[in-house]
Amino acid sequence: DFFSIMANVEIRELLYQACIDLLDKSFEGKPKFDGIVGLESRGFIIGTFLSQHYRVPFIPIRKKGKLIAREQLYEASFVKEYGKDECEIQANHLEGLDNLLLVDDFLATGGTMRAAEILVGKTGKNIAGMFVVLELLDLAGVEKLEQKEKVISLIGFNEEH
């Protein structure tokens, strides 16, 4: 459970350090990201920590209707395990940024990350990487992504049947 990790200071510190180590290794010798886009809602937790560590802006992708400002919004729809949903990003928060790291806690069916990929594409910005803490490999959500080679997973696992 993700929130159990967040409640345990020692484990949370280990998780954060593992995230930093993997990202540093993954971007070694490559152009680094200049902004972090966090997917609602647990992507906000990891994303804000990483944005503070790397000293880059954090921009949220929220469910439709949750962003207060209504100007310069881009929207995308996606299918989840139990239906359809919509999300938004506020484009003016991306001004001056070129290479974005998308961040979420979990990649399963790939719908939410695919929506984030579409949203960033609509803004004209580059996706430097798509970072997830956990990837459920047997659902093959990565296959739904247009830029699947940019996925960086801290932990990949298969569900036991």
Side-chain angles (χ1 to χ4, degrees), residues 5-17 45:
I5 293 170
M6 294 295 106
N8 184 308
V9 175
E10 291 83 18
I11 293 174
R12 186 180 65 231
E13 287 175 352
L14 289 171
L15 171 67
Y16 283 163
Q17 191 58 54
I45 297 168

Side-chain angles (χ1 to χ4, degrees), residues 142-154:
V142 71
E143 295 303 320
K144 290 185 180 166
L145 304 175
E146 191 172 295
Q147 300 179 58
K148 58 183 156 225
E149 73 283 355
K150 294 184 179 182
V151 172
I152 304 163
S153 302
L154 182 63

Side-chain angles (χ1 to χ4, degrees), residues 129-149:
M130 294 179 262
F131 177 74
V132 294
V133 176
L134 299 169
E135 180 183 355
L136 185 51
L137 299 169
D138 50 358
L139 291 183
V142 71
E143 295 303 320
K144 290 185 180 166
L145 304 175
E146 191 172 295
Q147 300 179 58
K148 58 183 156 225
E149 73 283 355

Side-chain angles (χ1 to χ4, degrees), residues 61-64 73-79 84-89 111-120 122:
I61 288 181
R62 303 247 15 222
K63 290 184 179 176
K64 186 174 181 175
L73 287 181
Y74 289 95
E75 299 177 8
S77 298
F78 61 99
V79 176
K84 191 174 174 182
D85 212 342
E86 294 178 290
C87 58
E88 300 174 320
I89 192 167
T112 308
M113 189 63 79
R114 178 64 186 132
E117 193 179 31
I118 291 167
L119 281 174
V120 171
K122 287 180 177 183

